């Protein structure tokens, strides 16, 4: 009986020790898995937060672009693109008409250094109309540099009579458009 009793005590001890070791291994395995999951979760949270920050920056930039869109359009209105110089030429002729003169574009060229656009304009009208045309050109939204200008009276010498109430003048302007983007 005593032999049975000693055997009986060893088996539960071995079983309990085996279960303890198995529990420890399971605990260590689950602890490592939990740590890996925690680390993965932290990395994913950092990635998510950086993505949220990036999205917020994009939304902020979109709002900024919407607020400055009008200013951008206004700023672009002061520059002439090389692909579309017709609006500038039309504006020049329209300003002459507004001043009471007649203008004709006779030269358009881009210098080799792409520093601007050179435009030659032949205008006719009264002295006051040509002066007003010159003033309107100077006050245009574009940055202009007047390279040269010749002004002379047309045939008739500026003599006033019933047939020619005001002397006619002719002017040739050579203008360099500095606000030109080739």
């Amino acid at each position: 009986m005593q032999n049975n009793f000693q055997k009986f005590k060893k088996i539960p001890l071995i079983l309990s020790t085996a279960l303890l070791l198995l529990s420890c291994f399971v605990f260590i395995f689950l602890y490592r898995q939990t740590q890996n999951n925690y680390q993965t979760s932290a990395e994913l949270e950092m990635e998510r937060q950086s993505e949220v920050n990036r999205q917020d920056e994009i939304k902020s930039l979109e709002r900024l672009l919407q607020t400055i869109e009008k200013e951008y359009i206004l700023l672009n209105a002061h520059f002439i693109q090389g692909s579309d110089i017709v609006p500038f030429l039309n504006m020049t002729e329209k300003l002459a008409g507004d001043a009471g003169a007649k203008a004709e574009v006779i030269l358009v060229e881009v210098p080799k250094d792409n520093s601007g656009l050179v435009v030659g304009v032949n205008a006719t009208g009264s002295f006051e109309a040509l002066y007003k045309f010159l003033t309107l050109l100077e006050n245009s939204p574009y940055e202009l540099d007047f390279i040269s200008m010749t002004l002379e009276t047309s045939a008739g010498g500026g003599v006033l009579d019933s047939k020619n109430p005001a002397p006619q003048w002719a002017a040739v302007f050579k203008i360099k458009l500095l606000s030109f983007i080739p």
Side-chain angles (χ1 to χ4, degrees), residues 33-50:
Q33 287 294 81
T34 304
Q35 289 295 71
N36 288 342
N37 287 345
Y38 178 75
Q39 188 175 7
T40 305
S41 173
E43 290 172 2
L44 289 174
E45 177 62 24
M46 286 176 52
E47 287 178 21
R48 186 196 65 81
Q49 189 60 40
S50 66

Side-chain angles (χ1 to χ4, degrees), residues 32-114:
R32 284 187 181 168
Q33 287 294 81
T34 304
Q35 289 295 71
N36 288 342
N37 287 345
Y38 178 75
Q39 188 175 7
T40 305
S41 173
E43 290 172 2
L44 289 174
E45 177 62 24
M46 286 176 52
E47 287 178 21
R48 186 196 65 81
Q49 189 60 40
S50 66
E51 183 66 25
V52 166
N53 289 343
R54 193 176 72 78
Q55 293 284 337
D56 288 345
E57 288 175 7
I58 289 172
K59 287 178 184 175
S60 175
L61 284 174
E62 287 175 351
R63 283 191 300 269
L64 179 64
L65 287 175
Q66 288 175 353
T67 58
I68 64 170
E69 185 176 4
K70 291 177 186 174
E71 289 84 5
Y72 177 76
I73 292 170
L74 183 62
L75 179 65
N76 270 348
H78 293 286
F79 290 92
I80 296 295
Q81 299 289 329
S83 61
D84 190 20
I85 61 170
V86 175
F88 172 72
L89 301 176
N90 289 339
M91 186 228 31
T92 304
E93 292 177 354
K94 181 183 177 304
L95 288 177
D98 292 347
K102 183 180 178 196
E104 177 183 3
V105 176
I106 56 173
L107 168 74
V108 176
E109 74 177 3
V110 178
K112 292 180 182 177
D113 61 355
N114 287 332

